[in-house]
Amino acid sequence: MTRAARPAPLALADGAIALAFAAAYVALLLATAGDLGYSRDEGFYFVAANRYGAWFQALLEAPRVALAPAAVDAAWSVNHEHPGLIKSLFALSNLLLQKRLGLFAMEGTSYRFPAMVLSGAGVALVYLWGTQARDRIAGASAAVLFAMMPRYFYHAHLACFDAPIVTVWALCAYAYWRALRDGGALWPVLTGITFGLALDTKHNSWFLPIVCVAHAVGMELRARLVAPAAPRRPPTGARRSLAALAAMATIGPVVFYALWPWIWRDTLPRLREYASFHLHHEYYNMEFLGRNHWTPPMPRAYAPVMTAATVPVVTLCLFVAGLCASARERLVYPLACAAARLAPPGGGGALAAARALAARLRPPAHDPGGTALLWFLAIAAVYGAWLSPSTPIFGGTKHWMTAYPFIALFAGAAFSAAVRRARVALRALLRARRGASARPGAGAPARALRPAALERAARGPLVPALLGAAVVAAPIAETLHAHPWALSSYTPLVGGAPGAATLGLNRSFWGYTTGAVVDYLNEHVPPRGTVYVHDTAGPAWEMLLRDGRLRKDIRGVGAVAGADFALYHHEKHMLGQAYQAWVAFGTTSPDHIAGLDGVPVILVYRNPAR
């Protein structure tokens, strides 16, 4: 084995680049938030954040009163099926940045801003991790490919937990990786702290210990496969893994407890209630391949098919290439070594061939962090949950988005390898041109293939720039084109949005597309007119009014009968809502249709009698 080397410290420029990635992504999210309606869940979290915000104000004004059990329970019982950290950030952002400083044109953006910042931090983290584990080209390409996933881009706007848990989950995994590579006490402690933050963000965090324990076991098995008979070095990797895992088991729960006042008393019963809510979650409807799924068994193919149908094709291809390259590099050699030790001296057959292969192969560079294995396990553990037919499939792709940074990191590594091969090819072409020009009778080299130009191209930024532009162009175009219809967006593998509709894939959920028809409603709804809001949650509708995106006199109602207009957010199991509008209004023709690429997503019916 080669000697382990300490990881090169990140340059100051890398920190600046990471900050630029984060700032650019947050700016893009802010610039595109104005035409994005509010989802159902956001409406519920607005209510919870307002209650938490009132408690924070009371904590400043009368701490003893605010800390009384009755006061704590009154505030934090709201939406206690989810931890409080991210909703606390929503509350503080609204209190400080909006009500005190007035930074946002729309109040709803103040609730969304913390999730946007965390999403930008996630893009920066992918850049830093890819750069430190591979190189800058890998880090930069991974960051862009991660940021430009249409579904992730949508969720990154929202005052929800799905994008924040992606960042915090990856941050905990990164801290664990640094604990293995760097040693010392700092990174294990940070692993414990970030795990506590993840616990207080969303229950996806429960997969983190599974990944880290499996990684520690895998690293030990690999060490035994490669050199079981050799003198054992001090078990540095095992000690570092145990230190990080111990911090997760001790520091993590303390952070979790400290940041969620709801569990400050009756802790165990309330934790059991919280766990039971998610372990036995009720099933919601979701259309998949033309069938509405409501109760188990759920389709096991849902997660892989929806990933292939929604993640840009170039990102998936690079991911597969990066995963296969890592498997070849990190698995073939230890397996060959293990098989070689089983081969009898002088024997033949497959075991002898393995011994010969092990002798020819060069050991991979020592990687104390087990980078590729950690990235793979982070993906496998998350997707593994959908192998069970009892796992709910509502929510589309958002429940396995914690795997997306690692998919992007593998893709970035593959892109970096492609750039290296392109440079090698250019140098080979340069040598060929020089050889040709050196032969007697050869004329001057063609202007387009001058050796000096090829040398500059091979060594300079031209190759990664051209290849990078070719790789990221489609994901960027897909992501920006799909906004604000990202939950209706599908890749060319299934024919885009029209092909997905033909296949019977879900077009949308959460009732957020009301934001796409506010201009129509403002123009056509009469003064003090009524609109049946269908799947739009009441608080989400109210936020459109508070933002000024809807006229203040337009009234949302909960029944189609007697309304002036009726919204219909298309989902297979909600067709009855459209039928009710037909009966109540005496027409089957919507007055307005909005959607993506000709696919109807939200329809507005007008009552001719009103």
Side-chain angles (χ1 to χ4, degrees):
M1 292 290 293
T2 56
R3 289 185 61 192
R6 291 184 64 82
L10 288 168
L12 183 62
D14 291 313
I17 294 171
L19 286 174
F21 268 119
Y25 201 57
V26 173
L28 180 61
L29 294 173
L30 287 170
T32 52
D35 57 353
L36 189 65
Y38 297 107
S39 69
R40 287 183 61 82
D41 284 13
E42 283 186 288
F44 305 142
Y45 303 149
F46 294 154
V47 174
N50 289 337
R51 293 286 291 273
Y52 299 175
W55 184 83
F56 285 131
Q57 288 181 309
L59 187 64
L60 290 176
E61 297 166 0
R64 183 169 296 181
V65 174
L67 291 172
V72 171
D73 286 355
W76 293 89
S77 63
V78 179
N79 195 240
H80 66 267
E81 57 267 28
H82 296 289
L85 175 61
I86 304 303
K87 288 173 288 185
S88 297
L89 297 179
F90 300 161
L92 293 173
S93 175
N94 177 253
L95 285 174
L96 300 177
L97 302 183
Q98 184 65 19
K99 292 182 177 176
R100 181 168 297 184
L101 300 177
L103 292 184
F104 304 104
M106 298 184 297
E107 185 174 2
T109 307
S110 67
Y111 294 97
R112 287 176 161 178
F113 187 64
M116 294 180 180
V117 172
L118 284 168
S119 300
V123 174
L125 176 62
V126 168
Y127 168 77
L128 290 173
W129 200 345
T131 298
Q132 193 167 20
R134 300 294 183 256
D135 53 43
R136 280 183 182 166
I137 293 174
S141 56
V144 176
L145 293 173
F146 171 57
M148 292 292 104
M149 295 183 184
R151 300 293 178 111
Y152 178 75
F153 183 69
Y154 164 72
H155 288 286
H157 289 83
L158 306 186
C160 291
F161 321 130
D162 304 295
I165 189 57
V166 172
T167 296
V168 184
W169 207 102
L171 183 61
C172 181
Y174 173 76
Y176 169 81
W177 178 77
R178 290 294 300 269
L180 297 184
R181 290 192 56 148
D182 292 6
L186 174 62
W187 286 104
V189 170
L190 291 178
T191 304
I193 292 173
T194 52
F195 179 54
L197 296 176
L199 286 172
D200 206 27
T201 298
K202 200 177 180 190
H203 64 283
N204 306 57
S205 56
W206 300 349
F207 289 98
L208 276 164
I210 299 173
V211 171
C212 295
V213 169
H215 181 266
V217 172
M219 292 290 287
E220 182 63 20
L221 287 176
R222 184 187 181 279
R224 291 175 181 271
L225 283 174
V226 172
R232 295 297 302 275
R233 292 177 296 177
T236 305
R239 282 204 306 266
R240 291 176 178 177
S241 294
L242 288 174
L245 292 171
M248 293 174 71
T250 54
I251 299 174
V254 172
V255 173
F256 177 48
Y257 177 85
L259 295 178
W260 194 10
W262 170 246
I263 61 172
W264 285 355
R265 71 188 189 95
D266 297 331
T267 303
L268 291 180
R270 290 180 177 184
L271 285 177
R272 282 196 297 267
E273 178 188 353
Y274 164 58
S276 178
F277 176 84
H278 294 286
L279 292 173
H280 307 286
H281 201 291
E282 63 179 305
Y283 292 93
Y284 301 146
N285 294 274
M286 179 58 65
E287 183 181 7
F288 181 61
L289 298 179
R291 177 184 170 188
N292 185 66
H293 294 270
W294 178 40
T295 57
M298 297 296 176
R300 289 187 174 93
Y302 184 73
V305 169
M306 285 296 292
T307 300
T310 58
V311 174
V313 176
V314 67
T315 305
L316 289 177
C317 290
L318 285 171
F319 158 65
V320 172
L323 180 63
C324 291
S326 296
R328 183 177 64 248
E329 178 186 7
R330 293 290 167 182
L331 284 180
V332 173
Y333 179 73
L335 291 176
C337 288
R341 282 187 294 274
L342 297 175
L351 294 178
R355 182 165 56 191
L357 177 62
R360 288 199 312 270
L361 290 175
R362 185 176 61 182
H366 186 47
D367 179 9
T371 307
L373 177 62
L374 181 59
W375 292 354
F376 169 73
L377 290 172
I379 297 169
V382 172
Y383 277 93
W386 273 266
L387 295 177
S388 168
S390 62
T391 302
I393 64 171
F394 67 85
T397 61
K398 72 188 184 79
H399 288 150
W400 59 78
M401 284 198 311
T402 47
Y404 284 0
F406 304 96
I407 289 175
L409 285 165
F410 273 120
F415 176 74
S416 178
V419 170
R420 289 195 298 272
R421 290 187 177 91
R423 283 174 163 162
V424 169
L426 273 177
R427 292 190 184 102
L429 180 60
L430 174 60
R431 288 193 295 269
R433 292 294 300 172
R434 283 174 175 167
S437 62
R439 288 196 297 269
R447 181 176 183 83
L449 294 173
R450 288 185 183 277
L454 286 173
E455 185 70 28
R456 287 194 300 271
R459 295 186 178 182
L462 181 62
V463 171
L466 290 177
L467 290 178
V471 163
V472 304
I476 291 174
E478 286 182 45
T479 300
L480 297 182
H481 172 70
H483 185 78
W485 307 96
L487 294 188
S488 310
S489 171
Y490 290 88
T491 69
L493 281 180
V494 295
T502 301
L503 289 172
L505 298 177
N506 177 263
R507 298 186 199 178
S508 186
F509 58 91
W510 267 354
Y512 79 97
T513 53
T514 299
V517 297
V518 291
D519 290 340
Y520 169 87
L521 296 176
N522 286 331
E523 179 181 353
H524 292 279
V525 177
R528 294 192 55 77
T530 55
V531 177
Y532 170 57
V533 299
H534 185 200
D535 201 33
T536 305
W541 176 270
E542 290 298 321
M543 189 59 72
L544 291 172
L545 295 171
R546 287 159 62 183
D547 283 348
R549 295 165 66 180
L550 271 175
R551 289 190 348 241
K552 301 293 185 184
D553 65 295
I554 298 178
R555 295 173 294 155
V557 295
V560 66
D564 296 313
F565 290 79
L567 305 182
Y568 169 60
H569 303 86
H570 177 74
E571 289 190 66
K572 187 177 182 67
H573 70 282
M574 291 182 174
L575 284 170
Q577 299 290 319
Y579 303 155
Q580 290 181 32
W582 298 356
V583 172
F585 292 177
T587 179
T588 60
S589 300
D591 198 61
H592 181 70
I593 301 174
L596 178 65
D597 296 337
V599 176
V601 178
I602 180 170
L603 295 79
V604 186
Y605 291 93
R606 186 171 191 160
N607 189 344
R610 309 268 302 181

